[in-house]
Amino acid sequence: MNAQIPTFAVIGRVNKGKSSIVSTLAEDDSVMIANEAGTTRHCREYPLRIDEKTIVTLIDTPGFQEARRMLAWLKDHEVSASNRRDVVVEFVDRFSGSSEFVDECRLLQPILGGAGILYVVDGAKPFRRNYEAEMEILRWTGQPRMALINQIGDGDFSDQWKPALDQYFSVVRTFNAHRVGFQDRIMLLRAFRELHEPWRASLDKAIFHLEEEWDRRRNESVRVLTDMMVDELTMIKEISLKEGENISAKKAAIERDFHQSLRKIEHNARRSVEHLYQHN
């Protein structure tokens, strides 16, 4: 893990929108997103790149499976608050490669390697006490932590979630991965920079490059759309008629050709704008 590049492990239970958040923040539509539980079984890195240079790395992780049993093990081996991180390291060393706590070991490895924590919950569902075990485990790692309340469904239980999350995380934000805009992503990066002072310079640079890139995309989109309108408004279709030939017989064909040409221009413009905004 490159210490100069801010890295965040996206943590949470299955089907709480972790992969959608990774896809949105990294602008990567190759992230596997599915309705069935447990789609993410291994950690996978997704870099946010500008001009082929990585400015932030996000790690999609498996969800917790046995958090309460794991926390009980940690407490059995705890000496004091000062050695809690060491106990988490001992836990991962003990169970990595075994058939127990497979997902817990996988999701903790990047955190113990220096990644910050981005903990995701579904704000459309009520808060339940059984979430506290995994939040406590993350606190034991000692890594910078932020929580995101992701709105997946129609319900809104943010008022229940926020007081609980505030006890475990330095920053708590509401973030709907399917509806956020560019400024929401920038605000999240600004919150990241407050978590850990050594990341601030790197994240300031990332924010600068992102805002510069966004301006470039916007200007290029204007050019694409302007060219599209000029091409459409100036498009001419011509046909040759023999002397005395009635145009009515060819009218339907030339209209069809005209509209197909318009659709092709619009399709190409749409694909160009989609490509600019990484919707591939």
Side-chain angles (χ1 to χ4, degrees), residues 1 39 61 88 137 139 229:
M1 191 177 296
T39 300
T61 69
V88 177
I137 291 167
R139 182 160 61 180
M229 289 191 289

Side-chain angles (χ1 to χ4, degrees), residues 28-160:
D28 191 335
D29 52 15
S30 72
V31 181
M32 185 178 292
I33 300 170
N35 292 326
E36 63 269 16
T39 300
T40 304
R41 297 311 309 273
H42 297 273
C43 292
R44 182 178 171 187
E45 293 188 4
Y46 293 91
L48 173 56
R49 292 192 179 105
I50 293 178
D51 294 333
E52 302 304 315
K53 184 177 180 180
T54 299
I55 58 174
V56 175
T57 299
L58 295 154
I59 303 176
D60 196 12
T61 69
F64 278 99
Q65 299 294 332
E66 298 184 82
R68 282 184 289 181
R69 192 161 76 92
M70 175 183 171
L71 183 59
W73 189 97
L74 296 177
K75 288 181 175 180
D76 285 344
H77 292 76
E78 175 190 15
V79 175
S80 69
S82 64
N83 84 319
R84 285 178 174 174
R85 182 182 173 90
D86 294 336
V87 176
V88 177
V89 172
E90 180 185 349
F91 174 90
V92 173
D93 288 343
R94 168 83 174 269
F95 292 102
S96 288
S98 77
S99 59
E100 293 187 272
F101 302 108
V102 174
D103 288 339
E104 280 73 16
C105 289
R106 286 173 179 168
L107 69 88
L108 284 167
Q109 283 169 347
I111 296 173
L112 296 176
I117 296 167
L118 196 56
Y119 182 68
V120 179
V121 299
D122 180 6
K125 302 288 177 61
F127 170 76
R128 300 194 185 286
R129 287 201 62 184
N130 58 15
Y131 284 88
E132 294 176 17
E134 54 203 60
M135 293 191 287
E136 181 69 3
I137 291 167
L138 296 176
R139 182 160 61 180
W140 278 41
T141 67
Q143 285 300 104
R145 302 176 300 284
M146 177 191 296
L148 290 185
I149 302 174
N150 190 28
Q151 293 296 135
I152 295 178
D154 295 329
D156 186 1
F157 294 89
S158 301
D159 290 344
Q160 293 182 16

Side-chain angles (χ1 to χ4, degrees), residues 221-236 258 261-262 265-266 269:
S221 296
V222 170
R223 185 196 64 77
V224 169
L225 296 174
T226 302
D227 289 348
M228 178 195 75
M229 289 191 289
V230 170
D231 289 344
E232 291 189 321
L233 292 169
T234 60
M235 189 174 67
I236 296 173
F258 184 85
S261 296
L262 287 178
I265 291 170
E266 291 170 357

